[in-house]
Amino acid sequence: MESVNAVGRRKAAVARVIMKEGNGQITINKRPLEVYFPSSILQYIVKQPLLTLDSAEKYDIHVNLDGGGYKGQAEALRLAIARALVKVNPEDKSALRAEGFMTRDPRVVERKKPGRPKARKRFQFSKR
């Protein structure tokens, strides 16, 4: 198997993944997963598609992560890994879709409107 590329996005975060056969190493921006995401919850989010297919030790994954916060980055990476796994083996798509890993979450921050302090909040109204 040659390398497989995939992209995942969530909020403002973009994850570009290069997946090759290997022994389960995940490198994010030239740092190991455990260093980049110290939280075990975020590490679990990233590994969910691999654990679903029991292929956590089969692939080496190199990631370029950019933008957003740590939660958005972890979920963008989860989507990218799921898409890469489907490119490797299209039969896995239904299993990953059932877990919700193939769906791009479209929710993003609403833009700030002019004449208001935030997107929907209004300045205090004074009658007199």
Side-chain angles (χ1 to χ4, degrees):
M1 174 194 123
E2 69 282 350
S3 65
V4 175
N5 295 355
V7 176
R9 292 185 183 89
R10 170 77 171 97
K11 292 184 172 182
V14 180
R16 287 180 280 278
V17 162
I18 300 164
M19 195 165 77
K20 303 180 181 112
E21 279 190 22
N23 54 8
Q25 281 190 312
I26 300 176
T27 312
I28 306 169
N29 294 351
K30 299 180 181 170
R31 292 188 295 199
L33 172 70
E34 291 74 24
V35 174
Y36 195 88
F37 290 124
S39 162
S40 60
I41 295 164
L42 294 177
Q43 291 175 26
Y44 175 71
I45 287 173
V46 168
K47 291 179 181 174
Q48 274 179 312
L50 296 165
L51 296 172
T52 303
L53 302 176
D54 294 322
S55 57
E57 306 298 315
K58 285 186 191 171
Y59 304 107
D60 283 347
I61 300 172
H62 293 282
V63 185
N64 179 351
L65 253 178
D66 188 45
Y70 50 83
K71 179 91 156 80
Q73 285 190 344
E75 292 182 4
L77 180 49
R78 178 174 71 182
L79 176 61
I81 290 172
R83 286 179 171 173
L85 288 167
V86 167
K87 278 188 180 177
V88 171
N89 187 2
E91 287 90 62
D92 294 335
K93 188 169 186 176
S94 58
L96 292 170
R97 164 123 7 244
E99 296 290 327
F101 303 145
M102 295 303 298
T103 307
R104 198 276 198 213
D105 193 338
R107 297 175 295 173
V108 292
V109 176
E110 193 173 334
R111 79 176 187 87
K112 184 194 172 299
K113 316 303 189 297
R116 298 191 189 168
K118 293 184 350 191
R120 298 192 175 194
K121 188 176 184 180
R122 287 155 166 82
F123 290 113
Q124 185 171 331
F125 175 74
S126 169
K127 202 169 206 174
R128 289 178 186 85

